[in-house]
C-alpha cells in the first residue's frame, strides 16, 4: 500500500473490512469501484471499464455510476445475490486537511433491502438465520426489515426439515455461523439459491431486550435471535425502532407442507415458469392492499390446524359474502390504503420522504370510513373486525397540519411544510416571497414621513439594503432615526433599525426557509416514529380484513362453498373441482368429481389411462384441504373434511440436477419422506410410484409401499398406478378401495370422460394416447400388432396354444423378421437370443410413444443385420 496514493490507500483499507461486498466509494458525484470490484461490476452492470493512476506501477481498473442514479445499479447487483457497502464522504471537502474522510454508512444485502423500488409489494423479503443447538435441533429466525416482522421456529426433525422450512418462505439471504457444516452450506446455496453471510456474535445487543419477552430467557432461542440482531446492526448502522417483538412459530399449530408438496402442488408459483400465474395464490389473490397480499401468502404457507381459528375465519368470510354492496365498499376504501407496514419501517429507518407521509395521512383518513362500513354488517365476526381499530386521529391531524400536499420527493429543496404550521417559517416565506413588496411599502412610508419625494431604497451586494437621500434634502431627515452607511458625491446612504432587521430576513429567507423546513420535517418524523407500534397493529388489522374479503370475493365469483369439518377422519367431497384448472378452462368444461373416504377407507387406488385426469383429481383434494384450513371456501358442492396435520405429495417426475439424483431416486426419497413422517391424520398423494425402474421392480415396490401405508401409517392416501395387477390388493386390504377414471373407445379413438368411478380400469389406452400425439400411422399399427401378440401370453409364460418355450422364442423373434414375414404375419422359425433378451427387458407400460419408435427402429435394424 505504500506505493499507492493516499486516496487509494484509504480505499484499500476500507475494502479490507468488506471483502465480500462491492464497495461503492464516493468520489464527488460518482460512486467509484476499483481493482477486482471494477472488473466484476463492469461485466455485471454492463458499464464502461476505465483505469486511473493510483501511484503503483500499473494503472488501476476503475468504473463508476452516478450517485443520483445508483439505486438501479444497486438493485441489479442485489437481485443477483451480491452485497454492496455504501462508502460516503463524512467530511466537508472544503475543510479537509488532505484526503476527505470516508466511512461505510450502510450495507445493502439481498435480505436487508429497504428501498421500495427493489421490493415486490405483495412479497415479503426475508432475511433468515440458522443456529444449531447441542441436541441436534435447529432454530430458524426470520426477519423482514422492510416491515419489522421477526419470527422464530425451532426445528427438531433434522436438517432436511430445516431446508423444507426455509423453502416455505421467500428468503434471499441466510445468516449462519462460520462453523456450520460445509455440506449444509452447499445445500443452502445450491438448493435454495440464497446468499450466505457469516455472523458469529450471538449476544442480544443493548436496547433490544424488550423484543425478547416471548423467548423466556431460553439460551438457544436468545442466541439464535442475537445472531440475527447483530447482523442487522452491523449492516444497517441506523435506527431499528420499527422491529416488532419476536414471535415464536409453534410448528405444531400449522399444517406441515414440505418443500416437495409446496412445489408439486404449485401453491405460490408454477413448476414450469416459476411465476405466480397458474398457482393457487394466483386464484385466491383478490386483495387490494400490498400488506394484504403478503398476509395471504403467509396464510397459504401455514394452513391452520386449530379448528376454532379456522371456523372463525370461515364465519367472517360468510359474513362478507352475505352483503355484496358493503363488501364492495370495503374493497373500494382499501384501495386508498397504502402499505402501512413498510411506511412505518421507512419512518424508523430514516429514509421516509414527505410524499410517504402524505400517503400515510391519506391511508389514515380512510380508516374511519372502513370502520363505519364494517359496522353495517350483520355478521358479528365482520362487525368485530372494526371494533378495536385505532384510527390514530392524533397522527392524522399532525400530518394534516404540517405536510404540504404537493411536497417534492427531495427533502432539501423546500416546499415540504404547510403555511401556518410554524411562525418562523411563515416569516421566512413572507420575507422571501414579499421582500420587494415590503421594500416598496417602506419606501413610500419613509417618503411620507420625511416629505422627501426623491428618497429611495436601493440594494447592492456590498452594503445590502440602504435608504438614499440627496445632500440637498439631508436637513429634512429626523434626528437619531437614520444611521449613516455610505457617503457619495451628491448623496448619503442610511440604514434604519427596521430596515436592518428586515434585511437579514430578506437576504437569508430562502436559505433559512429550506433549512428550517428540513429541521421541521425531521421533528415531524420523530413524532411519527412514536406511533410506529400503533401503525403496525393497524396494518395487521387492515391486512386481515383485506385477506378475508378476498376469500369472500373469490368464493362468490367462483361458486365455492363453506367446508364442514369432522373428527372421524372422513373425506366426503361432492362435485369437487381443481381451483386452478377450472379457472384456466374458461369455457366451463371442467368435469367435477366426488371424493369419498369413510373412516374405514384409508387408501384409494386410482387406475386409468394417461391424460385422463388422475393427477388433477389427486391435486384437487390437497388444494381443497389447504383452502379449507386457511379459512377459505372450497370449489365443490359440499365438503366434509378432517383437519390434516401434513400433506405429502409425489406427483410428476423430474431429475434433481442440483444433487445429481435421478428421477427414480427423487421418487424414492419423496416416498420415504412421506412414509416415515406421516401420521394417521396426514394426507398422502403418490402418483405412479415405481415407474422409474423396471416393471417387476416397480410393481413390487408399489405393492410394498401400499401395504406398509395400509398396515402401519393409516394416513388418507391417494395412490395412482398403471400397474393393473395392484388392483387385486383390494381383496386382501380391507381399507383399500379401487377407483378409476372413465375412458371410452369411439370409432377407434379414445374419449377421456374425466369421471371417477368405483372399480379398476380395464385398459390403459396407451396406443390411443400415441394416436392423439399423432405419431406415424405405420408406427401405431406396428405397436398394435406387438401389443396383440404380447396379450396372447398367459401369466405362467405359456402362449394360448401351449407352444414350447422354443416356439415362444421364435414367435418373439418374428417381430424382427423379413419384410415378407411382417406382411403375412406368419412367424419365422429363426432364433436370435440377443434380440430376444433386449425385447424382454423393455417395459412397454413405462415408455413414451417416441421411445417406442426409437426402440423398434433399433431392434429392427439389428434384426436385419443378423
Amino acid at each position: 500500500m505504500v506505493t499507492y496514493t493516499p486516496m487509494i490507500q484509504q480505499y484499500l483499507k476500507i475494502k479490507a473490512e468488506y471483502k465480500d461486498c462491492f464497495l461503492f466509494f464516493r468520489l464527488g458525484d460518482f460512486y467509484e469501484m476499483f481493482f477486482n470490484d471494477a472488473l466484476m461490476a463492469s461485466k455485471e452492470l454492463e458499464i464502461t471499464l476505465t483505469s486511473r493512476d493510483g501511484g503503483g506501477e500499473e494503472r488501476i481498473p476503475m468504473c463508476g455510476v452516478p450517485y443520483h442514479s445508483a439505486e438501479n445499479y444497486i438493485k441489479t447487483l442485489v437481485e443477483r445475490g451480491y452485497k454492496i457497502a455504501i462508502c460516503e464522504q463524512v467530511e466537508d471537502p472544503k475543510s479537509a486537511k488532505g484526503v476527505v474522510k470516508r466511512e461505510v454508512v450502510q450495507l445493502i444485502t439481498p435480505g436487508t433491502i429497504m428501498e421500495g423500488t427493489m421490493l415486490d409489494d405483495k412479497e415479503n423479503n426475508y432475511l433468515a438465520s440458522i443456529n444449531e443447538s447441542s441436541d441436534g435441533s435447529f432454530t430458524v429466525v426470520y426477519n423482514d426489515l422492510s416491515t419489522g416482522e421477526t419470527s422464530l421456529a425451532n426445528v427438531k426433525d433434522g436438517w432436511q426439515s430445516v431446508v423444507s422450512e426455509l423453502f416455505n418462505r421467500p428468503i434471499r439471504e441466510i445468516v449462519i455461523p462460520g462453523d456450520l457444516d460445509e455440506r449444509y452450506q452447499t445445500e443452502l446455496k445450491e438448493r435454495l439459491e440464497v446468499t450466505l453471510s457469516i455472523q458469529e456474535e450471538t449476544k442480544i445487543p443493548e436496547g433490544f431486550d424488550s423484543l425478547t419477552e416471548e423467548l423466556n430467557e431460553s439460551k438457544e432461542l436468545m442466541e439464535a435471535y442475537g445472531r440475527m440482531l447483530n447482523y442487522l446492526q452491523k449492516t444497517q448502522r441506523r435506527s431499528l425502532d420499527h422491529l416488532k417483538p419476536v414471535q415464536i412459530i409453534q410448528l405444531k399449530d400449522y399444517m406441515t407442507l414440505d418443500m416437495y408438496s409446496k412445489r408439486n402442488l404449485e401453491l405460490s408459483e408454477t413448476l414450469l415458469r416459476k411465476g405466480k400465474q397458474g398457482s393457487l395464490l394466483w386464484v385466491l389473490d383478490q386483495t387490494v392492499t400490498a400488506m394484504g397480499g403478503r398476509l395471504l401468502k403467509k396464510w397459504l404457507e401455514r394452513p391452520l390446524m386449530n379448528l376454532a381459528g379456522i371456523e372463525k375465519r370461515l364465519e367472517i368470510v360468510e359474513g362478507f359474502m352475505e352483503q355484496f354492496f358493503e363488501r364492495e365498499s370495503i374493497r373500494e376504501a382499501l384501495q386508498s390504503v397504502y402499505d402501512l407496514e413498510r411506511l412505518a419501517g421507512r419512518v424508523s429507518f430514516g429514509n421516509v420522504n414527505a410524499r410517504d407521509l402524505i400517503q400515510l395521512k391519506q391511508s389514515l383518513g380512510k380508516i374511519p370510513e372502513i370502520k363505519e362500513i364494517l359496522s353495517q354488517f350483520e355478521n358479528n365476526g365482520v362487525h368485530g373486525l372494526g371494533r378495536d381499530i385505532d384510527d390514530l386521529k392524533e397522527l392524522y391531524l399532525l400530518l394534516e397540519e404540517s405536510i404540504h400536499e404537493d411536497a417534492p420527493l427531495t427533502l432539501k429543496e423546500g416546499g415540504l411544510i404547510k403555511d401556518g404550521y410554524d411562525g418562523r417559517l411563515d416569516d421566512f416565506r413572507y420575507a422571501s416571497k414579499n421582500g420587494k413588496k415590503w421594500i416598496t411599502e417602506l419606501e413610500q412610508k419613509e417618503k411620507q414621513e420625511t416629505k422627501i419625494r426623491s428618497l429611495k431604497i436601493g440594494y447592492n451586494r456590498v452594503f445590502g439594503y440602504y435608504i438614499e437621500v440627496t445632500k440637498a434634502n439631508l436637513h429634512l431627515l429626523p434626528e437619531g432615526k437614520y444611521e449613516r452607511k455610505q457617503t457619495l458625491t451628491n448623496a448619503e446612504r442610511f440604514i434604519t433599525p427596521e430596515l436592518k432587521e428586515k434585511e437579514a430576513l430578506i437576504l437569508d429567507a430562502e436559505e433559512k426557509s429550506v433549512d428550517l423546513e428540513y429541521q421541521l420535517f425531521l421533528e415531524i418524523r420523530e413524532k411519527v416514529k412514536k406511533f410506529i407500534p400503533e401503525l403496525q397493529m393497524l396494518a395487521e388489522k387492515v391486512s386481515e380484513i383485506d385477506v378475508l374479503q378476498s376469500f369472500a370475493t373469490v368464493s362468490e365469483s367462483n361458486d365455492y362453498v363453506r367446508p364442514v369439518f369432522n373428527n372421524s377422519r372422513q373425506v366426503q367431497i361432492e362435485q369437487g373441482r381443481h381451483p386452478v384448472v377450472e379457472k384456466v378452462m374458461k369455457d366451463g368444461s371442467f368435469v367435477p368429481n366426488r371424493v369419498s373416504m369413510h373412516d374405514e377407507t384409508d387408501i384409494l387406488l386410482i387406475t386409468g389411462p394417461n391424460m385422463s385426469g388422475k393427477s388433477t383429481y389427486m391435486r384437487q383434494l390437497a388444494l381443497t384441504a389447504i383452502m379449507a384450513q386457511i379459512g377459505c371456501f372450497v370449489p365443490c358442492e359440499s365438503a366434509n373434511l378432517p383437519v390434516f396435520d401434513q400433506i405429502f405429495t409425489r406427483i410428476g417426475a423430474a431429475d434433481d440436477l442440483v444433487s445429481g439424483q435421478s428421477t427414480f431416486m427423487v421418487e424414492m426419497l419423496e416416498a420415504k419422506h412421506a412414509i416415515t413422517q406421516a401420521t394417521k391424520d396426514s394426507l398422502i398423494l403418490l402418483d405412479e410410484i415405481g415407474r422409474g425402474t423396471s416393471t417387476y421392480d416397480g410393481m413390487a415396490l408399489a405393492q410394498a409401499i401400499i401395504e406398509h401405508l395400509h398396515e402401519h401409517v393409516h394416513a388418507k392416501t391417494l395412490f395412482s398406478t398403471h400397474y393393473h395387477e395392484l388392483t387385486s390388493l383390494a381383496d386382501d386390504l380391507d381399507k383399500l378401495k379401487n377407483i378409476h377414471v372413465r375412458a371410452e373407445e369411439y370409432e377407434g379413438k379414445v374419449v377421456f370422460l374425466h369421471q371417477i368411478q368405483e372399480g379398476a380400469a380395464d385398459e390403459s389406452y396407451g396406443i390411443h394416447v400415441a394416436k392423439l400425439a399423432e405419431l406415424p400411422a405405420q408406427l401405431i399399427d406396428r405397436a398394435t400388432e406387438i401389443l396383440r401378440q404380447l396379450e396372447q401370453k398367459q401369466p405362467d409364460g405359456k402362449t394360448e396354444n401351449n407352444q414350447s418355450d422354443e416356439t415362444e422364442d421364435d414367435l418373439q423373434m418374428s417381430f424382427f423378421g423379413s419384410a415378407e414375414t411382417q406382411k403375412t404375419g406368419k412367424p419365422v422359425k429363426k432364433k436370435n437370443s440377443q434380440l430376444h433378451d433386449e425385447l424382454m427387458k423393455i417395459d412397454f407400460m413405462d415408455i413414451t410413444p417416441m421411445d417406442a419408435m426409437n426402440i423398434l427402429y433399433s431392434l429392427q435394424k439389428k434384426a436385419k443385420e443378423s
Side-chain angles (χ1 to χ4, degrees), residues 586-606:
K586 297 178 180 178
D587 57 1
S589 60
F590 186 87
V591 179
N593 274 298
R594 182 186 191 210
V595 183
S596 181
M597 300 179 77
H598 295 290
D599 53 345
E600 295 302 319
T601 303
D602 284 346
I603 301 175
L604 292 182
L605 186 63
I606 311 169

Side-chain angles (χ1 to χ4, degrees), residues 204 208-217 222 225 246:
I204 299 291
F208 289 93
D209 293 339
S210 61
L211 304 180
T212 65
E213 292 180 4
E214 200 169 322
L215 303 184
N216 296 322
E217 299 296 327
M222 295 285 278
Y225 185 43
V246 61

Side-chain angles (χ1 to χ4, degrees), residues 55-333:
E57 296 179 0
E58 298 180 357
R59 292 181 67 83
I60 296 170
M62 179 181 80
C63 69
V65 298
Y67 85 95
H68 59 270
S69 61
E71 187 175 314
N72 289 331
Y73 296 103
I74 293 171
K75 179 181 179 182
T76 299
L77 292 174
V78 169
E79 286 177 347
R80 296 178 184 178
Y82 294 108
K83 306 174 190 176
I84 294 91
I86 305 296
C87 183
E88 294 285 3
Q89 298 174 174
V90 293
E91 182 182 20
D92 187 346
K94 296 177 182 177
S95 60
K97 298 179 180 178
V99 179
V100 177
K101 186 177 180 182
R102 294 178 176 87
E103 292 179 0
V104 170
V105 297
Q106 184 186 3
L107 262 67
I108 303 174
T109 71
T112 60
I113 299 169
M114 285 295 292
E115 294 302 325
T117 55
M118 299 188 195
L119 295 166
D120 184 334
D121 287 344
K122 289 195 171 185
E123 184 88 40
N124 282 101
N125 189 76
Y126 285 117
L127 172 71
S129 72
I130 300 175
N131 214 61
E132 186 174 7
S133 301
S134 56
D135 61 0
S137 66
F138 294 85
T139 302
V140 179
V141 182
Y142 301 102
N143 172 265
D144 184 341
L145 189 62
S146 68
T147 66
E149 170 198 341
T150 309
S151 55
L152 174 153
N154 189 243
V155 182
K156 300 180 179 179
D157 300 327
W159 176 251
Q160 286 308 311
S161 294
V162 173
V163 176
S164 284
E165 170 63 28
L166 292 167
F167 185 84
N168 224 12
R169 289 195 163 187
I171 295 170
R172 302 282 305 281
E173 180 182 2
I174 301 178
V175 181
I176 59 172
D179 60 356
L180 184 68
D181 193 307
E182 287 289 339
R183 294 171 301 167
Y184 296 166
Q185 294 190 39
T186 300
E187 187 167 11
L188 291 174
K189 283 188 286 189
E190 295 182 350
R191 186 175 291 276
L192 300 182
E193 298 180 346
V194 296
T195 300
L196 296 186
S197 300
I198 306 297
Q199 175 63 47
E200 302 295 357
E201 180 59 54
T202 59
K203 184 179 178 181
I204 299 291
E206 187 177 344
F208 289 93
D209 293 339
S210 61
L211 304 180
T212 65
E213 292 180 4
E214 200 169 322
L215 303 184
N216 296 322
E217 299 296 327
S218 165
K219 181 182 177 183
E220 289 80 6
L221 301 186
M222 295 285 278
E223 286 184 354
Y225 185 43
R227 191 182 306 281
M228 170 70 76
L229 284 176
N230 278 285
Y231 184 74
L232 289 176
Q233 273 204 324
K234 181 179 78 172
T235 57
Q236 302 313 300
R237 304 185 176 201
R238 60 182 72 188
S239 170
L240 297 173
D241 291 344
H242 69 298
L243 291 185
K244 302 177 187 178
V246 61
Q247 294 183 329
I248 296 179
I249 302 170
Q250 299 292 350
L251 296 178
K252 61 182 177 56
D253 293 341
Y254 302 96
M255 177 197 287
T256 299
L257 289 164
D258 61 27
M259 61 188 297
Y260 306 118
S261 298
K262 187 182 178 190
R263 180 191 65 199
N264 293 335
L265 294 174
E266 299 182 309
L267 295 185
S268 56
E269 67 176 22
T270 58
L271 276 169
L272 185 61
R273 296 184 179 179
K274 303 296 182 184
K276 178 180 175 181
Q277 185 168 359
S279 67
L280 181 61
L281 179 63
W282 171 65
V283 174
L284 298 182
D285 191 1
Q286 288 293 323
T287 58
V288 291
T289 68
M291 47 194 173
R294 294 195 297 270
L295 182 62
L296 169 58
K297 193 165 185 290
K298 281 187 271 194
W299 282 11
L300 195 57
E301 290 163 354
R302 298 195 192 280
L304 298 175
M305 284 177 56
N306 179 276
L307 187 55
I310 297 171
E311 292 289 1
K312 181 181 177 182
R313 289 182 185 176
L314 291 171
E315 180 66 22
I316 294 173
V317 172
E318 188 167 55
F320 273 125
M321 289 181 69
E322 288 170 348
Q323 294 180 240
F324 172 82
F325 293 108
E326 287 81 358
R327 187 181 77 238
E328 286 300 302
S329 296
I330 283 287
R331 287 178 59 82
E332 186 177 345

